[in-house]
Amino acid sequence: MKRAPAVAAGAALAAYFVLLAAVNSYVAGGSDSSGYLNAARLFARGRVWKEIPIIRELPLPPSDSEVFLPLALRAGPAPGTMAPRYPPGLPLHMAALALVGGWGRAPFLAVPYLAIAALVLVFLLARNLGLSRTLAWVAVALLGASPIFFGMAIQPMSDVTATAWVAGCLFLGLRSDRSRISAIAAGAALGMAVLVRPTNILAAIPLAVTLWRGRRRILFAAAGGLPFAAGLVLYDHAAFGKAAETGYGAMLTWTMALAHAGPVFRHYAYWVPALMTPLLPLAWLLLPFDRRVSGRDRLLLFSWFAVFLGFYLFYEPFDDWWAVRFLLPGLPAVILAGLLAARDAGEALSRRFGTRIATAAGAAVLAAAIAVDVRHIVRFDLLRMWEGETVYREASLWTKSAVEPRSVILSMQMSGALEYYTGLPVARWDLLTAESFPRIRDAVRGRGFHWYALLRDFEQKELPARAPGDWTKIGSVRDVILWRLD
């Protein structure tokens, strides 16, 4: 009988994984998903950059080579080369699974696997913070049912992977007072978290809270992270020609601004409570004043979410709900803070009204929170999101069969998918002007290539302005239309 709860918990996690796998998007689609998968394929071949094949054939200046870069790829270490724009962490996970299970579905399952790892780590964190097994599993349920966690767990995105490694480094940090190995592993986990997303270096602050009573533990953690830091420097040098460079380049100079703080704060102030129920963020805000929680745990949980919220307040504003994904590596702290408050409130209710009433009240609040999460999952149609993504694969493969062998495809939104599924040369319409297009068009034609354009519906109006000419419609796959330049 003692094993029954563990068996039930294991069965629940297995069922959750099956659900994630069933509704997962097995598609290299827009910039993010195609970017990670194109990088994974490159890494699996033992390379971090590749040549842009068509550049060798064109009499164009090096400045024009960026026009032929698909989404999520940027200029490589030498002229005429390209390298992944996104960090190497998630693609390394994908490449490892693909080498074992092939390129069919294996790399796409990296994120669902890491989602389960994140849930297990949140359970372990809850237990290390003094929560009961029941409340620890409530933490798992709240995170797993969260629409932002669920939505990011069913597509090739880095947010869930980042969450798992951040949770892992903090769990190991909490256990570092028992073992030097845990301190070293905590630093290594932070190093991998940074490989997944550079801003995860922010997790060094809550990690320091878990280590602050022992200088040796801090040194051991630093030693664990050092190989990953060295690896990142070597990777950047190999991929971009500079040890201090990143795939993002100067991205932060235009995505970060003090003026963003107001709109972004209003966005998060609405969507974080809407997606998690207002009780959880309120409990996190009040956590520093809860003397029933140890000072270390209060500082850990408050700083954990605060560092991510504080950084992304100045990031480029988004109007959509899914922008909360940037905060996902810190959201477990909000859930755990809420459950610490629920534990204390439950004890007070038990003393006054009895255990049954307190348990019933807690169950009602949990049911309401899960119901809100499920409502959002249905509202955002997350269980069928994969259906819309399949157009990237279908349109790319159809285009490959519909065009001549020597063709250049003018594209933007579809460019990453075209690179992944077809390898056809692409030219980015968003990097062209009415003045530059004739020169590039004639250079391409002079080498016997044909011009096509593969555009989604929202891109159609840009074609005449960016690439003027007589374009003839060849056909379409849903809202993706293939054009030929006569």
Side-chain angles (χ1 to χ4, degrees), residues 115-470:
I116 300 302
L119 295 177
V120 172
L121 287 163
V122 166
F123 173 85
L124 296 173
L125 277 163
R127 294 292 288 152
N128 273 263
L129 293 171
L131 290 170
S132 66
R133 285 184 176 273
T134 299
L135 287 179
W137 284 117
V138 169
V140 171
L142 288 172
L143 182 60
S146 167
I148 197 67
F149 183 86
F150 183 83
M152 294 302 112
I154 57 175
Q155 51 184 317
M157 302 282 278
S158 66
D159 308 273
V160 168
T161 308
T163 304
W165 283 106
V166 168
C169 85
L170 297 180
F171 165 68
L172 291 165
L174 287 174
R175 294 185 61 84
S176 63
D177 58 346
R178 308 176 192 179
S179 167
R180 294 177 179 178
I181 298 299
S182 293
I184 295 172
L190 178 62
M192 179 55 77
V194 173
L195 289 184
V196 172
R197 182 180 284 174
T199 53
N200 285 338
I201 191 62
L202 296 167
I205 294 174
L207 177 60
V209 174
T210 70
L211 304 169
W212 73 304
R213 289 185 179 178
R215 293 182 180 178
R216 284 190 174 184
R217 283 187 281 163
I218 294 176
L219 293 176
F220 285 130
L226 187 60
F228 292 86
L232 184 59
V233 169
L234 293 173
Y235 169 79
D236 288 341
H237 185 271
F240 314 119
K242 297 179 182 178
E245 182 72 310
T246 70
Y248 293 114
M251 182 179 176
L252 291 183
T253 62
W254 56 267
T255 57
M256 304 293 289
L258 187 62
H260 295 163
V264 173
F265 177 79
R266 289 191 294 271
H267 185 272
Y268 288 150
Y270 174 79
W271 277 112
V272 171
L275 296 174
M276 303 188 72
T277 76
L279 292 175
L280 293 176
L282 179 61
W284 174 79
L285 282 171
L286 297 176
L287 179 66
F289 308 101
D290 187 354
R291 299 295 179 181
R292 289 163 293 189
V293 180
S294 72
R296 184 204 65 176
D297 293 349
R298 278 182 282 154
L299 185 56
L300 167 63
L301 294 177
F302 192 81
S303 64
W304 182 358
F305 182 64
V307 292
F308 290 100
L309 177 62
F311 178 85
Y312 282 106
L313 278 180
F314 305 100
Y315 194 66
E316 182 181 12
F318 291 91
D319 295 328
D320 299 292
W321 69 275
W322 50 258
V324 178
R325 73 186 181 90
F326 297 117
L327 305 181
L328 188 54
L331 288 184
V334 179
I335 293 173
L336 294 171
L339 291 176
L340 286 170
R343 177 197 63 186
D344 298 337
E347 290 174 355
L349 284 173
S350 294
R351 287 192 298 268
R352 184 163 185 178
F353 300 105
T355 303
R356 289 185 178 180
I357 292 179
T359 301
V365 172
L366 174 61
I370 297 296
V372 169
D373 288 338
V374 172
R375 176 178 174 272
H376 282 305
I377 289 173
V378 174
R379 172 189 174 189
F380 300 135
D381 206 18
L382 296 181
L383 296 176
R384 299 177 58 185
M385 184 183 66
W386 62 273
E387 294 179 358
E389 292 294 293
T390 57
V391 72
Y392 286 97
R393 179 178 61 235
E394 293 170 4
S396 296
L397 295 176
W398 171 72
T399 297
K400 185 176 183 179
S401 67
V403 303
E404 288 94 342
R406 288 178 67 82
S407 296
V408 174
I409 316 298
L410 196 63
S411 185
M412 186 273 287
Q413 186 65 20
M414 297 292 299
S415 60
L418 285 167
E419 168 70 16
Y420 185 78
Y421 289 110
T422 73
L424 291 169
V426 301
R428 294 267 299 280
W429 64 257
D430 56 312
L431 301 180
L432 292 170
T433 65
E435 292 72 31
S436 64
F437 177 64
R439 180 183 73 254
I440 296 174
R441 176 199 62 202
D442 293 344
V444 169
R445 279 181 165 172
R447 292 297 186 270
F449 286 88
H450 303 277
W451 275 99
Y452 289 86
L454 188 68
L455 308 175
R456 301 208 67 163
D457 184 63
F458 70 92
E459 302 175 277
Q460 307 296 331
K461 62 182 179 181
E462 298 286 349
L463 187 60
R466 300 275 186 165
D470 296 326

